Every structure is written in structure tokens, then in C-alpha cells.
Amino acid sequence: MFNIYVPSYGRAETTSTFKLLEYCTYVVRKSQEDEYRARGIENIWAVNDNEIDNICKVVNYIVDNAPEQVIFMIDDDVDYFIYRLDKNVKLLDPEIITSEIERIAQLMVDLDIGFAAEDASIAPWNYCSEFEFKGTTGAMRWFNKAKYASRFREEVYHNCDLDVMLHELLVNRICLKPKYLLVKAGTDTNSGGNSSKTRQEQKDCYYEMKRRWGKYFDYNFKNNKPAIKVQR
């Protein structure tokens, strides 16, 4: 069993991801359900607001309660997908996009891997192989619940996905990082985005990540970019 989930908040009028997929289920707060249905999105999982009122809660809620064994989550503001080969090739065909997402999910089952994530950088010169562990996470994440052993932690809110990746490496020794499939998505400054994080919040997350992961994690405050340093 497999399904695609799109957590979304405050973007009923601007969300674009559903147009690029053959099927998906939007996970929204009950107070906004009618707004998303008015947009024409039919498959909606409406949850009590207080149970999914931040990214950590909504990811954990979906993992805990989705009936499928393998699930895929993607940001709600994707403009288009990308094949990263010798150069970036724009991908808009929902059939091809969905089949690629399903392909990676099947690989996770075949290889008994718990967590997979897209690379955050879409630069074509970062492509060196179809799959490689390098870099940080982006807008797409896969979960194989039979093997996945982590949780999104609010203590490291702004680096919660990297915390999960490092924990999966610690416990399961491997994550799957597709390098050839990417998305072009919006940023935290667009409608509904998380642009309210303060410098102190970033520092608090950094110190907690350093306490937890030491030399394997770092953060560049000049350009606001985290880094995972794990030799593979």
C-alpha cells in the first residue's frame, strides 16, 4: 500500500502541487478544509487544528495514522519537477512524475530502507550519480514505516528533517538520496510560508543539533545553510 500526502496550511488559493500528480491526499487543518475543497481539491484529510499545527506535528501525525505501509510527503508549493542529468530538464507530466515517486518507494521496500529524501540543491553540476548520500533534504520525503525509526522533533524545529536523516543513519545505517529527481518549489517567504523564524530560534536549534550530533552537523549563519558531515 502506498499513497502521496501533501501537508498544507494557508495556501488554499496558491497551492500548486496537486496539479502535478496523478493522485494525492492533502492534509489540512479542519478550520481550512472548506477553503481547500473550494479550490477543487477532492482528496482531503482534515485533522483537528491543534494536532497538526506545525511541521513536526503534521509529519508525525501522517506517519502514525496513514493506513499505507509506505508513504510519500511533498511540499504544497511545487512549481514543477526536474530531471537532473547533464542539465536540468523541466518535468510537468503527472504520469511520469507519479511513476518516479512510486519507483523510489518500491526501491525502499526492496532495499529495506526507512527514509528517503530529495536533495535540497537543484544545481545540475551537483549531479554525479543516480543515488548518492550527500547534502541536505528538500521538498520530497519517503517513509517506509516497517523500517523507519525516527521522529520529527520540535526541539530542532528548523532542522527537524536533518535530525531525522542523521538518526536514520545512526540506527539504520542508510538513507536513500535520489539525485536525479528534484522539484522547483517556493520558499518560506511565499503565502503561508514560515518566514517568522528569529535568529535566536535558529541558534537554539543549532545548539540542540550540535549537542545531539556534534561534528556531524554544522550551520552557516551567514547564508543560513545547514550541513551534514558524514563520511560514507
Side-chain angles (χ1 to χ4, degrees), residues 1 3 10 15 19-20 26 64 78 94 97 125 127 143 170 172 176-177 179 181 183 187 212 215 218 232:
M1 296 176 65
N3 197 16
T15 183
K19 298 178 180 180
L20 297 166
Y26 268 63
D64 290 343
V78 175
I97 292 167
W125 52 83
Y127 179 80
F143 302 81
L170 176 66
N172 287 325
L176 190 64
K177 286 295 296 289
K179 298 286 283 187
L181 184 68
V183 300
T187 67
R212 187 165 163 85
K215 66 181 181 180
D218 205 356
R232 302 296 288 166

Side-chain angles (χ1 to χ4, degrees), residues 10 16 20 47 51 60 65-66 78 84 102 122 125 127 193 225:
S16 51
L20 297 166
V47 181
E51 295 189 78
N60 291 336
N65 295 283
V78 175
R84 176 162 58 187
E102 293 171 342
I122 66 173
W125 52 83
Y127 179 80
K225 288 186 178 180

Side-chain angles (χ1 to χ4, degrees), residues 134-152:
K134 183 180 180 182
T136 56
T137 66
M140 300 190 289
R141 295 176 289 273
W142 292 256
F143 302 81
N144 176 9
K145 295 197 287 184
K147 190 69 175 180
Y148 177 66
S150 303
R151 303 287 291 174
F152 273 58

Side-chain angles (χ1 to χ4, degrees), residues 2-108:
F2 174 76
N3 197 16
I4 296 171
Y5 291 95
V6 186
S8 187
Y9 169 71
R11 290 199 179 112
E13 295 184 359
T14 60
T15 183
S16 51
T17 301
F18 70 100
K19 298 178 180 180
L20 297 166
L21 300 166
E22 286 191 300
Y23 61 88
C24 66
T25 299
Y26 268 63
V27 182
V28 306
R29 303 180 195 183
K30 280 188 176 179
S31 62
Q32 297 186 349
E33 179 180 2
D34 291 343
E35 298 173 35
Y36 281 88
R37 293 199 183 279
R39 179 71 191 281
I41 300 171
E42 297 180 358
N43 294 326
I44 293 177
W45 184 2
V47 181
N48 291 333
D49 288 27
N50 65 312
E51 295 189 78
I52 57 167
D53 59 7
N54 64 47
I55 184 61
C56 296
K57 284 185 178 181
V58 71
V59 170
N60 291 336
Y61 187 92
I62 295 170
V63 171
D64 290 343
N65 295 283
E68 299 83 13
Q69 187 68 28
V70 184
I71 59 177
F72 171 74
M73 292 188 214
I74 185 168
D75 289 356
D76 62 354
D77 56 350
V78 175
D79 297 319
Y80 54 85
F81 284 69
I82 296 170
Y83 273 143
R84 176 162 58 187
L85 304 170
D86 293 331
K87 61 181 180 179
N88 285 351
V89 178
K90 184 182 290 189
L91 183 58
L92 294 168
D93 186 332
E95 183 176 356
I96 295 175
I97 292 167
T98 305
S99 68
E100 289 289 3
I101 292 169
E102 293 171 342
R103 171 180 179 240
I104 293 166
Q106 184 63 58
L107 282 172
M108 293 180 67

